[in-house]
Amino acid sequence: MKLDGLDYLDLSSHLKENEIMVQQSTREFVNNEILPIIDKHFENGTFPDNLTSKIADMGFFGITLPKEDGYGGMNNIIYGLVCQEIERGDSGIRSFISVQNSLVMFPIHAFGSDVQKQKWLPLLANGESIGSFGLTEPDHGSDPGSMDTKAVKGDGGYILNGAKMWITNGSIADVSIDWAKTEDGVVRGFLIEKEMEGLTAPEMKHKWSLRASITSELIFQDVYVPEENLLPGVEGLKGPLACLSQARYGIGWGAVGSAMAVYEASVKYAKDRKQFGKPIGSFQLVQEKLVWMLTEITKGQLLAYHTGKNKDAGTVTVQQISMLKRNNTWMARECAKLAREIHGANGISGEYPIMRHLMNMESVYTYEGTFDMHTLILGEDITGIPSFR
Ligand SMILES: Cc1cc2nc3c(=O)[nH]c(=O)nc-3n(C[C@H](O)[C@H](O)[C@H](O)COP(=O)(O)OP(=O)(O)OC[C@H]3O[C@@H](n4cnc5c(N)ncnc54)[C@H](O)[C@@H]3O)c2cc1C
């Protein structure tokens, strides 16, 4: 069996049959359900919420959680291939799936109480409930350890005050895993439910990137959170960072999908578009751009695949995941820029998918740790010297 689409180094020959089958069915899902509607949603700045139940039916929510608990039980290569294919459609939809899996279901499964697991995981898996993850604040992005949101112990629970910003799915979330500092300065995770008094979640408008994804503020004004909504299994910044490692892994694969989409569109365009009486693909400068894209995409696939193998073996390091996220989002952003050039004026038109991917990639390059922050994480790993704290 072969992977569908770009597979220059024959990665298929290293994959198991079920891994290729999930890739193929995800590709069909994207072709049938996402590509026909995504440009309209991107242009209008709306999230295609009718996709939620279809994504749940595909089994993408909770895809790597254990089979014995009733979830997907799939390995990390399959999860990666799903992210790749979905982002071949659109980064906003992949972000939606990443948040639900890596930033909401993962922490509840890994750090939640039995009651929290029983209450939320089935609803999140079948798409009846949507989740979000609030770490970033108006004044604290790359440095979440300095967060201002406070959780003060009250009668049978905590009183939360503060604000989060740039929160994917925030306004549509039934439950949000939000991080706040207790009076002793320790970061803790809380399950904030949408009907809790004092919580408001206005959508952030005027975004020119990830337009088919909802991004919100979360404002906590004396929100009373009962003790049973505290995530019991983790304390400190390592809680949110563990979630981010999961999500960054999926982003590293997803970026490959975005790059594949703009590369494939560019090859087609280079063969179709004629100037000076010849296809532009006959010009050496255009061929060089295509070769650069293909080579970098292929290297990105290998990086993603090998990181996935390490993750499945339980040996992956956070620094390896940083390398994957850093390289592949950079690679996809560069591919989108080159694809824009190859498409000439058409590259800025909504008739082609290029500008949508290019604009999306600006967020993907920045969120979950900017390119530069991942550089510094790797710099510390190489030298043993932290440069940013
Ligand atoms: C569309 C979108 C969706 C998002 N979804 C979520 C979400 O669901 N949940 C969530 O919690 N967050 C989310 N984020 C927030 C995202 O994770 C942050 O934007 C990101 O971590 C960067 O933080 P910042 O924007 O505050 O930039 P800053 O931290 O202010 O950084 C600004 C610039 O300074 C650089 N910089 C900062 N510190 C250093 C340093 N020590 N050395 C060198 N350079 C430095 C950065 O690399 C960057 O270039 C989302 C963001 C976007 C755009």
Side-chain angles (χ1 to χ4, degrees):
M1 269 182 109
K2 288 271 180 202
L3 281 172
D4 276 339
L6 204 164
D7 184 16
Y8 199 72
L9 275 194
D10 196 20
L11 193 55
S12 310
S13 61
H14 298 273
L15 294 176
K16 300 189 190 100
E17 204 164 305
N18 67 330
E19 293 167 348
I20 296 179
M21 277 167 63
V22 176
Q23 187 255 359
Q24 290 179 343
S25 61
T26 312
R27 180 163 283 232
E28 265 172 50
F29 177 77
V30 170
N31 290 344
N32 297 335
E33 303 289 348
I34 297 182
L35 291 179
I37 54 134
I38 195 63
D39 288 319
K40 181 180 68 132
H41 282 284
F42 189 86
E43 195 154 342
N44 296 340
T46 50
F47 172 69
D49 43 22
N50 69 322
L51 279 183
T52 305
S53 59
K54 294 177 183 178
I55 291 170
D57 290 346
M58 290 294 290
F60 294 156
F61 297 143
I63 185 167
T64 55
L65 293 186
K67 213 174 181 65
E68 56 273 23
D69 295 344
Y71 304 103
M74 301 285 180
N75 66 22
N76 283 290
I77 300 297
I78 290 186
Y79 179 51
L81 286 165
V82 167
C83 289
Q84 173 192 286
E85 290 306 312
I86 297 286
E87 197 146 353
R88 193 185 128 259
D90 189 77
S91 304
I93 311 304
R94 200 272 308 135
S95 300
F96 175 71
I97 295 172
S98 285
V99 169
Q100 187 93 339
N101 272 305
S102 302
L103 301 181
V104 182
M105 296 182 77
F106 165 76
I108 295 176
H109 189 265
F111 310 127
S113 67
D114 286 343
V115 175
Q116 290 166 356
K117 290 182 204 178
Q118 280 151 19
K119 175 169 179 184
W120 286 109
L121 289 179
L123 294 171
L124 291 161
N126 69 21
E128 268 180 69
S129 290
I130 304 296
S132 69
F133 174 92
L135 181 64
T136 304
E137 299 188 348
D139 293 331
H140 307 285
S142 302
D143 177 21
S146 302
M147 70 176 66
D148 291 321
T149 301
K150 296 274 181 309
V152 175
K153 196 97 181 75
D155 195 12
Y158 292 82
I159 310 289
L160 254 70
N161 277 291
K164 300 288 175 183
M165 203 167 176
W166 297 109
I167 307 307
T168 304
N169 300 343
S171 323
I172 56 168
D174 300 284
V175 62
S176 188
I177 308 295
D178 296 324
W179 302 88
K181 267 188 190 162
T182 56
E183 284 150 290
D184 45 5
V186 179
V187 173
R188 298 298 304 259
F190 296 87
L191 280 75
I192 308 291
E193 303 181 20
K194 76 167 176 223
E195 57 280 348
M196 285 180 173
E197 220 168 296
L199 168 70
T200 42
E203 188 176 348
M204 295 172 68
K205 296 285 187 184
H206 312 298
K207 263 180 18 235
W208 291 106
S209 174
L210 289 194
R211 288 182 54 76
S213 163
I214 288 176
T215 312
S216 315
E217 284 178 70
L218 299 177
I219 301 159
F220 313 112
Q221 265 182 324
D222 291 329
V223 179
Y224 173 74
V225 188
E227 183 79 37
E228 62 260 28
N229 281 40
L230 174 76
L231 267 187
V234 73
E235 284 188 18
L237 212 51
K238 65 176 185 292
L241 293 183
C243 303
L244 293 179
S245 257
Q246 300 292 321
R248 288 166 180 167
Y249 169 74
I251 293 168
W253 276 91
V256 175
S258 169
M260 285 163 74
V262 296
Y263 168 80
E264 281 163 357
S266 298
V267 172
K268 181 173 182 325
Y269 193 82
K271 288 182 176 170
D272 291 347
R273 174 75 177 168
K274 291 199 177 67
Q275 288 296 292
F276 302 95
K278 295 181 204 161
I280 60 167
S282 67
F283 302 128
Q284 292 177 4
L285 290 174
V286 173
Q287 290 188 2
E288 192 274 338
K289 290 181 175 69
L290 295 173
V291 170
W292 192 93
M293 289 160 83
L294 176 62
T295 308
E296 292 303 322
I297 292 168
T298 303
K299 285 153 69 179
Q301 285 174 328
L302 298 183
L303 186 54
Y305 174 75
H306 199 78
T307 308
K309 282 296 197 193
N310 287 354
K311 198 164 185 322
D312 279 335
T315 60
V316 79
T317 65
V318 293
Q319 292 84 0
Q320 289 169 356
I321 292 175
S322 276
M323 182 182 279
L324 170 67
K325 197 274 176 183
R326 176 182 182 274
N327 183 77
N328 285 9
T329 58
W330 162 79
M331 174 277 287
R333 189 187 191 219
E334 296 303 312
C335 283
K337 287 190 219 164
L338 290 175
R340 230 278 316 133
E341 288 181 35
I342 290 171
H343 281 74
N346 280 328
I348 68 148
S349 163
E351 298 294 316
Y352 294 83
I354 310 302
M355 201 68 176
R356 177 167 57 77
H357 280 289
L358 178 53
M359 288 154 85
N360 280 343
M361 212 32 70
E362 290 301 320
S363 290
V364 177
Y365 181 81
T366 293
Y367 69 18
E368 307 264 354
T370 65
F371 179 87
D372 283 349
M373 292 314 297
H374 288 295
T375 304
L376 301 180
I377 290 169
L378 289 165
E380 178 178 355
D381 201 34
I382 295 165
T383 63
I385 309 167
S387 65
F388 59 97
R389 58 191 148 75

